[in-house]
Amino acid sequence: AEMHNDMDKMRAFLQSIIDSLAFVDRVIITASRCGNATVGLRATTAELLLPRGADCIDLLLSERDLPSRVRPERAIFLTDSWVKSTADSEYSYEALTARYGKATAAELLKTMYRDYRS
């Protein structure tokens, strides 16, 4: 989750992994286009493949190929690490409550997530 907040950090991490690989013919980056973090990645000793999904969620929801994926509308997908990083952020309920009080914090969170249904 930390890298999802800094696409340059994610790009640098992915590039370092690519650069460390030896004796491979093909590198598949399953982050897809997540936040454009894969823009500019290069593999000089192997073929680099980036699936054409919007992000890794598209890949996780695909059974056999991307056209087969069914992505629920107005859904949010949360990982354990994402939830933990959010709990320590300025947008956590605790941080918002400390800054604005309980009522305003609750309203801010409702506004942030109002378009999600599942």
Side-chain angles (χ1 to χ4, degrees), residues 48-111:
L48 179 62
L49 297 174
L50 297 167
R52 292 182 186 249
D55 54 28
C56 60
I57 299 298
D58 278 350
L59 301 177
L60 292 169
L61 293 174
S62 299
E63 294 244 351
R64 295 181 187 267
D65 54 29
L66 284 171
S68 74
R69 80 156 165 33
V70 177
R71 189 169 189 157
E73 289 187 31
R74 300 171 71 176
I76 187 169
F77 297 86
L78 305 171
T79 63
D80 184 55
S81 62
W82 182 265
V83 170
K84 286 176 182 172
S85 73
T86 304
D88 296 331
S89 80
E90 63 184 302
Y91 301 108
S92 71
Y93 176 72
E94 290 76 17
L96 292 171
T97 299
R99 188 168 182 182
Y100 302 109
K102 286 185 178 183
T104 302
E107 287 303 314
L108 286 169
L109 288 171
K110 284 180 189 176
T111 300

Side-chain angles (χ1 to χ4, degrees), residues 24-44:
V24 297
D25 296 321
R26 184 174 294 134
V27 177
I28 302 172
I29 303 293
T30 58
S32 197
R33 294 181 294 182
C34 191
N36 288 327
T38 57
V39 172
L41 291 178
R42 294 182 42 185
T44 58

